[in-house]
Amino acid sequence: MAGGLSGCDAAQPMDQRFAPEYKGVATTLLDGDLVQFDVAMRGARGASDVEDYAECAAAQYALIRGYGFARHLRTNVYEEAGLWRGDAVYTISPALPRGVRTLDAEVVTASCVENGIPMV
């Protein structure tokens, strides 16, 4: 039958096999409100898992610094021998910044806790 999902085991949903190992976050203040987050993990399903990890780090960092918001500027993700790495740059701010890729730090950190994604 064409159009079926290849590689899926009907007895075990895909999400049950997702068991990431979060290897840590390195944070670098680049300039004032501009911050870089380098993250590493194993077991990512793809780049979006690495991006989520960096977003959680950015949200928690904003709260630690007394800010409520962040704006995503860029994330580079690559994988080598099963180790996924990402470097993301965000601006942090006390008010909702302009742009389409903004995040409310409190909302994002609550989601990270709910999804078991560690933060800074």
Side-chain angles (χ1 to χ4, degrees), residues 7-8 21 43 63 73 107 109:
C8 289
E21 293 177 47
L63 292 176
L73 299 176
V107 171
T109 55

Side-chain angles (χ1 to χ4, degrees), residues 37-39 47 50-51 72 74-78 85-89:
F37 302 91
D38 293 305
V39 299
V50 180
E51 292 165 358
H72 177 259
R74 68 142 174 88
T75 302
N76 296 313
V77 177
Y78 61 95
R85 294 186 182 273
D87 81 87
V89 176

Side-chain angles (χ1 to χ4, degrees), residues 24-107:
V25 177
T27 305
T28 306
L29 183 60
L30 299 175
D31 183 40
D33 63 352
L34 190 63
V35 187
Q36 179 172 330
F37 302 91
D38 293 305
V39 299
M41 68 183 292
R42 290 192 180 279
R45 295 169 291 198
S48 65
D49 288 333
V50 180
E51 292 165 358
D52 289 347
Y53 187 21
E55 180 175 274
C56 289
Q60 181 66 33
Y61 183 87
L63 292 176
I64 288 169
R65 294 292 182 184
Y67 295 103
F69 301 93
R71 180 171 60 107
H72 177 259
L73 299 176
R74 68 142 174 88
T75 302
N76 296 313
V77 177
Y78 61 95
E79 182 267 335
E80 185 175 319
L83 182 64
W84 288 81
R85 294 186 182 273
D87 81 87
V89 176
Y90 285 81
T91 59
I92 57 172
S93 63
L96 183 64
R98 290 180 170 211
V100 294
R101 300 211 45 202
T102 60
L103 57 95
D104 179 320
E106 288 185 9
V107 171

